[in-house]
Amino acid sequence: MGRIFEHTDNHISTQYRHEGVPLLERLRLGKDHRCLVPVSSFAEPRGKGRGNQWFASTDDKPMFFAGIEVRGWTNVRKVKEGETTDDLYAFLTCLPNSEVKAIHPKAMPVILTEPEEWDSWMGGIPAAELQRPLPDGSLKLVDNPV
């Protein structure tokens, strides 16, 4: 299936949805930098001071974020810090499905649930071909992480 993303202490993560952001453009390096991020639930912010809303699958299918990772990236992100070497990680996002849109109308992670999708992502399919929300009804709201 390919690599599963592993957390390290020195990492930077972000979403990857909009084209043209210099850091993210450099992350889009092809299939050698793709990964699958296992997820059992995820959160979106409810709004200032209202905490997060958690989402989980309505069935028992495994879920993975479509991820991109680069290990040992040396770059100057902040002049104050100078040059640092970091592990970078981003996940692909898309417009939200109905469950997520009610809480966070801007975006949701691209979640892959089928082995064919995992293989396509890891095989280098253009991101736009998988950049779509899960079908409405695929997620349920939960109070805590699962």
Side-chain angles (χ1 to χ4, degrees):
M1 175 184 336
R3 293 184 320 276
I4 303 291
F5 179 76
E6 297 173 12
H7 175 78
T8 63
D9 289 336
N10 194 23
H11 74 283
I12 299 164
S13 62
T14 189
Q15 300 178 40
Y16 182 64
R17 182 166 159 223
H18 303 289
E19 301 292 325
V21 176
L23 174 63
L24 298 179
E25 280 299 309
R26 290 179 67 188
L27 280 176
R28 195 169 50 117
L29 300 172
K31 69 181 184 177
D32 292 341
H33 295 281
R34 292 185 178 192
C35 62
L36 295 169
V37 183
V39 59
S40 55
S41 57
F42 67 97
E44 294 289 356
R46 287 189 188 133
K48 188 173 182 173
R50 297 184 346 178
N52 291 321
Q53 175 61 61
W54 287 89
F55 298 89
S57 176
T58 57
D59 57 31
D60 290 329
K61 285 185 175 182
M63 298 190 306
F64 293 90
F65 287 165
I68 300 169
E69 58 140 355
V70 177
R71 305 287 178 147
W73 177 280
T74 300
N75 197 12
V76 177
R77 291 182 53 241
K78 298 178 183 176
V79 174
K80 209 178 204 182
E81 291 178 2
E83 188 173 86
T84 62
T85 299
D86 305 288
D87 293 332
L88 304 183
Y89 159 70
F91 59 92
L92 194 63
T93 60
C94 59
L95 294 174
N97 70 359
S98 63
E99 292 85 26
V100 175
K101 188 174 186 174
I103 305 299
H104 186 68
K106 291 184 180 181
M108 70 175 283
V110 170
I111 299 173
L112 308 175
T113 59
E114 300 296 332
E116 301 80 31
E117 295 172 329
W118 310 332
D119 290 343
S120 294
W121 177 247
M122 295 304 292
I125 191 172
E129 292 187 35
L130 290 172
Q131 200 167 15
R132 51 48 186 152
L134 285 177
D136 293 344
S138 297
L139 297 171
K140 61 185 174 186
L141 281 66
V142 293
D143 293 330
N144 296 299
V146 175

